[in-house]
Amino acid sequence: MLNSSSIPTSLERHDWTTAEILDILQQPLLELVYRAQTVHRHHHPQNDIQLATLLSVKTGGCSENCAYCPQSAQYETTVEKQPILPVPEVLAAAQRAKEAGSDRFCMGWAWREIRDGKAFEDMLEMVRGVRSLGLEACVTAGMLNDSQAQRLAAAGLTAYNHNLDTSPEFYDQIITTRTYGDRLQTLDCVRRAGITVCCGGIIGLGETLSDRAQMLQVLATLTPHPESVPINALVAVAGTPLQEQPPIDPLDLVRMCAAARILIPKARVRLSAGRSSLTREAQILCFMAGANSIFYGDKLLTTGNPDCDADRQLLEEIGAIGSPPESTCKGTHLAP
Ligand code: SAM
Ligand code: DTB
Ligand code: SF4
């Protein structure tokens, strides 16, 4: 078993093995959190939790069969296919997010892949608009190619989110309409275009601890490392194949945040979907373990998120900087 006191905190490695990562995930919790916090404080300012707001620009009707996703056209969920939001509506939501204190505006399209044409031109305009508000802009819209990545980079896109979701081994139990290799190829295009990479995964899909370690191993051996690593807990949505999945143990989320922090020390580790089911105390443990960003606003893409007031109170209670003044938070309904 690894001993925290003998582990250098400044080390950034790209050769982690799954066995080493399994050891990390299974360390005694207090030891693990201490180690992760030590790494965290070496690489990041204290009390800094970035607020990012999500908006679903294109909702529902997706051709893919991701078993966790309420937006897949293959499952009967309460999410209906919606028209793509127009540029001014998206930029108005970005403005509200900024006023509420967000630093990053993340836009989602329920697509298998980006296709050239009007919707892509609009996406580029949204990116330019979000950047001109002084916000970081992140897009998640499925697979893309080199020329699309280069155009997004030229529009000023800060980050592209494309998750691995789970381990290479477990992947085809969750998605069969595209491969793990497809995902890695998209990440390569993003990297080549000079856009920062936002890439993480989900726990609670029915994976084993070894799957979690394998997914982290793929992330931790990407060179360079992703700048941003979202850790999601499954939001089990009625109508999806994973609707009956039992909720995760919140301490497993703490362990995943801690492992991500230790393995990918410079990344923003984003405590993402699933926060609505966490107590304040569990979230604080995730922050102790190195999570340094949350999604802020009452909605993720299609499912709920803690409301703005509760999050502001939480951030104030823990002394995290970036908590917005009360007046700007009131009435923030970020969804259209
Ligand atoms: N269609 C694009 C794609 O799949 O890359 C972008 C949107 S997709 C909703 C973005 C990510 O959200 C997924 O890769 C997955 O990690 C996460 N996600 C989707 N549904 C989720 C759920 N029910 N619970 C937790 N995470 C979820
Ligand atoms: C990520 O890893 N989590 C966010 C963001 N990237 C796009 C999405 C979570 C979606 C949760 C289910 C929903 O609201 O539809
Ligand atoms: Fe489509 Fe993305 Fe949902 Fe998969 S996760 S069904 S690709 S929106």
Side-chain angles (χ1 to χ4, degrees):
M1 192 61 78
L2 297 161
N3 176 348
S4 295
S5 57
S6 63
I7 292 175
T9 52
S10 57
L11 203 62
E12 186 183 297
R13 284 175 50 194
H14 298 262
D15 61 352
W16 291 97
T17 66
T18 306
E20 285 176 298
I21 298 172
L22 258 177
D23 270 352
I24 290 174
L25 284 171
Q26 295 179 99
Q27 271 189 291
L29 188 69
L30 293 181
E31 192 70 10
L32 176 59
V33 171
Y34 171 75
R35 180 176 169 196
Q37 176 64 199
T38 309
V39 173
H40 185 79
R41 289 293 285 269
H42 187 87
H43 292 276
H44 298 272
Q46 63 201 48
N47 301 329
D48 172 33
I49 310 250
Q50 188 190 46
L51 305 181
T53 295
L54 263 176
L55 178 69
S56 183
V57 176
K58 192 270 175 181
T59 305
C62 183
S63 61
E64 300 302 276
N65 70 351
C66 312
Y68 48 75
C69 187
Q71 302 200 66
S72 167
Q74 307 194 23
Y75 315 131
E76 286 285 323
T77 70
T78 56
V79 176
E80 300 288 341
K81 184 175 177 184
Q82 305 287 331
I84 300 179
L85 296 181
V87 176
E89 212 168 299
V90 172
L91 295 183
Q95 176 68 40
R96 288 197 296 279
K98 180 181 170 161
E99 284 163 11
S102 270
D103 290 319
R104 183 162 168 122
F105 193 67
C106 308
M107 297 166 278
W109 280 254
W111 284 340
R112 168 186 172 74
E113 72 224 323
I114 296 182
R115 298 207 181 132
D116 294 336
K118 161 99 170 78
F120 182 47
E121 301 303 321
D122 283 354
M123 179 190 290
L124 295 171
E125 205 177 323
M126 290 168 197
V127 170
R128 286 189 287 266
V130 169
R131 297 295 285 139
S132 73
L133 290 171
L135 295 171
E136 294 180 9
C138 180
V139 161
T140 184
M143 297 185 283
L144 48 55
N145 61 35
D146 277 318
S147 100
Q148 290 160 344
Q150 281 156 16
R151 294 196 65 200
L152 281 164
L157 186 67
T158 313
Y160 194 84
N161 167 246
H162 199 62
N163 290 338
L164 293 176
D165 285 344
T166 191
S167 70
E169 220 169 88
F170 190 59
Y171 182 84
D172 64 6
Q173 308 270 317
I174 300 298
I175 302 148
T176 59
T177 47
R178 56 180 146 65
T179 66
Y180 217 75
D182 290 335
R183 293 203 179 237
L184 294 170
Q185 204 179 330
T186 292
L187 295 173
D188 268 350
C189 291
V190 172
R191 183 55 83 198
R192 272 197 295 270
I195 301 167
T196 69
V197 170
C198 175
C199 184
I202 313 178
I203 65 167
L205 305 173
E207 75 287 342
T208 62
L209 193 66
S210 165
D211 288 312
R212 292 177 189 172
Q214 284 174 51
M215 179 185 81
L216 288 167
Q217 197 264 347
V218 180
L219 289 171
T221 52
L222 291 174
T223 311
H225 281 159
E227 285 78 6
S228 164
V229 178
I231 303 291
N232 296 277
L234 174 71
V235 181
V237 178
T240 64
L242 297 181
Q243 63 180 358
E244 304 290 356
Q245 273 300 309
I248 52 119
D249 179 342
L251 296 182
D252 284 354
L253 204 53
V254 176
R255 288 182 179 279
M256 284 298 284
C257 291
R261 169 55 62 225
I262 292 163
L263 300 170
I264 314 173
K266 294 201 180 94
R268 277 245 179 227
V269 174
R270 300 183 191 273
L271 178 57
S272 301
R275 250 177 358 99
S276 290
S277 318
L278 296 184
T279 62
R280 202 171 60 132
E281 292 78 6
Q283 295 181 65
I284 292 170
L285 266 176
C286 290
F287 300 141
M288 283 297 294
N292 58 351
S293 170
I294 55 170
F295 284 122
Y296 182 62
D298 50 12
K299 215 171 172 196
L300 292 166
L301 290 173
T302 66
T303 65
N305 197 42
D307 69 36
C308 208
D309 290 333
D311 276 344
R312 197 188 59 249
Q313 201 181 339
L314 171 68
L315 293 171
E316 279 171 4
E317 272 166 3
I318 63 173
I321 57 168
S323 62
E326 186 162 355
S327 60
T328 60
C329 192
K330 286 276 182 258
T332 301
H333 197 75
L334 299 166

